[in-house]
Amino acid sequence: QGDSNTCSTIITDFVSDGVDLILANATPALQAASAGTADIPILGTAVTEYGVALDLDDFDGTVGTNISGTSDLAPLDQQAAMLNELFPDAKNVGLVYCSAEANSQYQVDTVNKSEKLGYTCTYYAFSDSNDLSSVATTAATESDVIYVPTDNTVASNTEIINNICQPAGVPVIAGEEGICSGCGVATLSISYYDLGVATGKMAVKILNGESNISEMPIEYAPQFTKKYNPTICEASGIDVPSIY
């Protein structure tokens, strides 16, 4: 439930039980698993950038230890281009994210480069769900459009953002479809189902002794889909291009 201490306790139990493999869903779980064991194979999934999550300076696509997995990283430059496509007249883009999540920082830093499209991007960081409401309110007041990355805290609190941004008439571009369904107007997203299948296939190879996890590169989603939230778009009076 988003409690890092509980996550560490769970990992400790796994190690004590001598499990054959640990599946770590999202960055905090991966970090806890990495800290908990250097021997048991760990497969991450829904982790945006492994080099950032594990603080690796020379990450080249393969962790090289007892860790591998799949990434939910979407093409951030294409997400920025989608924002430009839907809101070409926007000037101020608010980047709302949890500062405690390293991969969220990575994503907003990358999207910030969309300033080359003519935007002025401003960071709106919150430390946890307790200050999300106040930060989102400030962002909605000062922004034409808001971008939220694949952020675990945001994903658990989309109603807060929607209740602030929709009445204010400020559209939200989301990093993935789950967040989009709660507070966004559109996203360029991976399929988390397909990502789970890919991770499961990696697990089979490890458990069957077909692959050495230290040699397995991180795998990425093979395709991305533009999706939009018709309910929020209609309520906000936003016309969605036919390509959606």
Side-chain angles (χ1 to χ4, degrees), residues 183-236:
C183 66
V185 296
T187 184
L188 178 64
S189 181
I190 69 165
S191 165
Y192 279 90
Y193 179 87
D194 291 345
L195 198 70
V197 171
T199 312
K201 290 180 178 178
M202 295 177 74
V204 170
K205 292 178 180 179
I206 294 168
L207 294 173
N208 286 343
E210 300 172 30
S211 298
N212 183 336
I213 191 169
S214 67
E215 300 173 353
M216 299 177 75
I218 303 302
E219 296 188 13
Y220 295 82
Q223 61 184 14
F224 309 94
T225 305
K226 288 183 176 180
K227 296 186 177 183
Y228 73 100
N229 187 324
T231 302
I232 295 180
C233 285
E234 182 177 355
S236 304

Side-chain angles (χ1 to χ4, degrees), residues 3-91:
D3 187 321
S4 59
N5 292 326
T6 301
C7 193
S8 297
T9 300
I10 292 170
I11 297 299
T12 299
D13 289 344
F14 286 167
V15 174
S16 297
D17 291 342
V19 298
D20 296 312
L21 183 145
I22 294 174
L23 173 67
N25 188 0
T27 300
L30 179 72
Q31 292 171 330
S34 174
T37 178
D39 302 313
I40 298 174
I42 300 168
L43 279 179
T45 190
V47 175
T48 305
E49 223 292 326
Y50 282 74
V52 173
L54 300 173
D55 195 23
L56 304 175
D57 293 331
D58 56 350
F59 178 65
D60 61 358
T62 302
V63 177
T65 61
N66 63 319
I67 298 173
S68 189
T70 56
S71 167
D72 63 356
L73 179 64
L76 300 173
D77 58 337
Q78 293 181 40
Q79 288 185 347
M82 182 179 63
L83 189 155
N84 180 254
E85 174 189 12
L86 286 173
F87 307 105
D89 297 326
K91 297 300 181 184

Side-chain angles (χ1 to χ4, degrees), residues 25-161:
N25 188 0
T27 300
L30 179 72
Q31 292 171 330
S34 174
T37 178
D39 302 313
I40 298 174
I42 300 168
L43 279 179
T45 190
V47 175
T48 305
E49 223 292 326
Y50 282 74
V52 173
L54 300 173
D55 195 23
L56 304 175
D57 293 331
D58 56 350
F59 178 65
D60 61 358
T62 302
V63 177
T65 61
N66 63 319
I67 298 173
S68 189
T70 56
S71 167
D72 63 356
L73 179 64
L76 300 173
D77 58 337
Q78 293 181 40
Q79 288 185 347
M82 182 179 63
L83 189 155
N84 180 254
E85 174 189 12
L86 286 173
F87 307 105
D89 297 326
K91 297 300 181 184
N92 299 307
V93 176
L95 307 174
V96 178
Y97 67 102
C98 180
S99 57
E101 298 188 32
N103 270 320
S104 295
Q105 184 73 59
Y106 170 81
Q107 291 174 82
V108 295
D109 283 345
T110 303
V111 171
N112 186 32
K113 297 174 183 177
S114 65
E115 286 188 340
K116 65 184 180 182
L117 297 175
Y119 298 128
T120 297
C121 294
T122 303
Y123 291 97
Y124 296 93
F126 58 92
S127 57
D128 55 39
S129 58
N130 294 321
D131 62 343
L132 172 57
S133 179
S134 62
V135 171
T137 298
T138 302
T141 301
E142 301 176 350
S143 307
D144 300 316
V145 183
I146 285 175
Y147 173 82
V148 292
T150 54
D151 184 292
N152 295 300
T153 308
V154 169
S156 300
N157 295 278
T158 55
E159 185 176 359
I160 293 176
I161 293 180

